[in-house]
Amino acid sequence: MATKSFFVTKNLPEKFFKNISKKFPMEMWPNSNEEIPRQKLLERVSGKTGLLCTLSDRIDRQLLDAAGPQLKCISTLSVGYDHIDIDECKRRGIVVGNTPDVLTDTVAELTIALLLATIRRLFEANQALRQGKWPAGWGHFFMCGSMIKGSHIGVIGGSGRIGRSVIKRLRSFEPAKISYTSRQEYPEMFREFNAEFYPLDRLLIESDIIIVCCSLNDSTRRLISTEQFKRMKSTSVIINTSRGSCIDQQALYEALKSRKIAAAGLDVYEQEPISMDDPLLSLDNVVLLPHIGSAAKSTREQMIQMALDNLEAGLEDRPLLASV
Ligand code: NDP
Ligand code: DGY
């Protein structure tokens, strides 16, 4: 039988590979400053039994064909798996691992940070100070924003791991109400967090702050577009730390520019990295972060370890720690 081997699409620290590399021959994309070009990825995956990838690698039929029928396990260094054609993997008997839980609290903290930065205008205020625009004395309406306390917060995908973790934290800010939406109602959400299940339209109409925490799938792609922005309050704020494609980015730009909604805080985009020509960059009522939801060093290390443990299990025909 041919030796099992694997390919890693990112340049990750060698220390994580000490054990697994003794068991299986491995290759890794060596360049930490440059994404692996698509053509190179198709070449390098050929003949491998395992693949460790990230959310920036598109795992589709073309890639699976290029890899060949011996490919048995794909392990992604992310909890999200919208970049992988899961149905096609299932059809070919390829197991897919991901990294839930280890990043949940990290992403929830970033979501709260982004929310506060957006509603209290932290980046604008910081910029104003540096540009000498601090009004003489103390301007009593200078850089005024809004508060979580007393607000209605609607969480799209609030029943998920990250959604719950966000809601748990938000409660300490004493919002007037928390509602959530998902494809089904979860009665424990009311018992544990006093969070009420709303259909999406009601959540959009009634919320002051909308937080997008759902996974990206066929039912959430461009879930929020022009019609949905029309339903939202003109004072409302939207935060997205899930996937950029859950929101129609052009419609978001128009809603922000025309002040149909008040502000947005984004960690994720339809295209990543966002183009420096993107019109969103011209607006002052949006806070833009470069997809750093899980970017705490200890979390990223746990994600790498979990992705490798998944890969090792897959190559050894054992159940993965977490599989899709
Ligand atoms: P979970 O699978 O635990 O949660 C996903 C949630 O999405 C569930 O509540 C699910 O509820 C909900 N959902 C799915 N479809 C819909 C729909 N049509 N309408 C409303 N809700 C829906 O995943 P996690 O909480 O662990 O992660 C969520 C996402 O966060 C990931 O998929 C990833 O895209 C993103 N993420 C972003 C990070 C960043 O760096 N910014 C870091 C980590 C994750 P139900 O199934 O009942 O519909
Ligand atoms: C994920 O895990 O899905 C993130 O987007 C990166 O941590």
Side-chain angles (χ1 to χ4, degrees):
M1 202 172 70
T3 317
K4 290 177 177 175
S5 62
F6 67 92
F7 181 65
V8 183
T9 67
K10 288 279 179 302
N11 186 252
L12 299 174
E14 266 175 36
K15 64 176 181 182
F16 292 99
F17 294 88
K18 275 192 188 128
N19 290 336
I20 194 169
S21 65
K22 283 184 198 139
K23 295 186 181 176
F24 304 104
M26 63 170 281
E27 288 173 31
M28 179 154 64
W29 176 242
N31 197 335
S32 40
N33 300 320
E34 190 204 341
E35 282 282 292
I36 184 166
R38 177 74 179 174
Q39 192 51 41
K40 283 263 180 300
L41 174 58
L42 297 177
E43 287 162 22
R44 300 291 296 269
V45 75
S46 170
K48 301 292 186 296
T49 331
L51 176 66
L52 198 154
C53 66
T54 72
L55 53 91
S56 54
D57 304 310
R58 189 165 34 85
I59 310 298
D60 55 8
R61 279 179 197 212
Q62 183 194 36
L63 183 133
L64 300 177
D65 286 344
Q70 77 300 322
L71 183 66
K72 282 287 164 271
C73 177
I74 296 172
S75 175
T76 182
L77 191 53
S78 59
V79 65
Y81 48 84
D82 48 278
H83 54 296
I84 303 176
D85 185 338
I86 298 294
D87 290 342
E88 192 56 29
C89 287
K90 286 204 170 125
R91 210 178 60 74
R92 298 180 189 218
I94 299 169
V95 291
V96 178
N98 67 341
T99 62
D101 300 317
V102 293
L103 46 60
T104 298
D105 293 336
T106 324
V107 183
E109 283 186 9
L110 188 279
T111 306
I112 304 290
L114 179 55
L115 168 55
L116 287 168
T118 306
I119 63 175
R120 297 300 297 272
R121 305 171 63 184
L122 297 191
F123 291 94
E124 262 185 281
N126 178 272
Q127 190 75 353
L129 178 148
R130 288 167 189 272
Q131 293 173 345
K133 293 181 182 163
W134 186 343
W138 178 79
H140 57 270
F141 286 127
F142 177 57
M143 287 293 157
C144 281
S146 55
M147 287 177 71
I148 300 175
K149 183 167 180 170
S151 299
H152 177 164
I153 305 183
V155 185
I156 299 175
S159 62
R161 288 172 291 249
I162 295 170
R164 286 176 199 234
S165 191
V166 166
I167 289 174
K168 192 170 84 181
R169 284 163 173 75
L170 281 172
R171 278 163 57 85
S172 66
F173 289 87
E174 301 174 26
K177 183 170 188 71
I178 299 179
S179 60
Y180 73 98
T181 185
S182 51
R183 286 168 294 189
Q184 62 183 80
E185 184 171 357
Y186 295 83
E188 76 276 12
M189 291 289 294
F190 190 73
R191 286 198 305 273
E192 287 173 27
F193 307 117
N194 209 18
E196 214 176 308
F197 180 76
Y198 274 21
L200 179 62
D201 273 359
R202 185 173 174 202
L203 182 145
L204 296 173
I205 291 165
E206 294 187 20
S207 299
D208 301 299
I209 294 167
I210 293 158
I211 307 180
V212 185
C213 289
C214 58
S215 48
L216 175 63
N217 55 48
D218 289 344
S219 68
T220 56
R221 195 171 300 280
R222 297 201 163 181
L223 185 66
I224 310 296
S225 188
T226 308
E227 285 310 304
Q228 287 67 37
F229 286 119
K230 279 188 195 156
R231 293 183 179 85
M232 290 162 57
K233 296 180 186 178
S234 61
T235 49
S236 69
V237 169
I238 189 162
I239 304 296
N240 187 8
T241 53
S242 70
R243 284 289 182 269
S245 298
C246 295
I247 298 181
D248 177 340
Q249 206 162 293
Q250 179 62 28
L252 172 64
Y253 165 73
E254 282 156 19
L256 287 167
K257 177 136 180 86
S258 63
R259 304 275 164 170
K260 177 71 212 69
I261 63 168
L266 308 176
D267 186 42
V268 287
Y269 308 87
E270 286 185 331
Q271 294 296 324
E272 296 185 0
I274 190 171
S275 158
M276 285 298 97
D277 299 331
D278 194 289
L280 279 175
L281 272 72
S282 66
L283 301 177
D284 59 10
N285 54 343
V286 58
V287 174
L288 305 168
L289 299 180
H291 203 145
I292 55 166
S294 63
K297 189 157 182 270
S298 56
T299 305
R300 288 286 166 83
E301 291 189 338
Q302 287 180 73
M303 289 167 68
I304 294 173
Q305 193 55 61
M306 186 168 185
L308 276 171
D309 290 346
N310 275 337
L311 183 65
E312 192 171 334
L315 292 174
E316 292 176 342
D317 299 314
R318 289 183 285 110
L320 310 194
L321 275 76
S323 60
V324 177

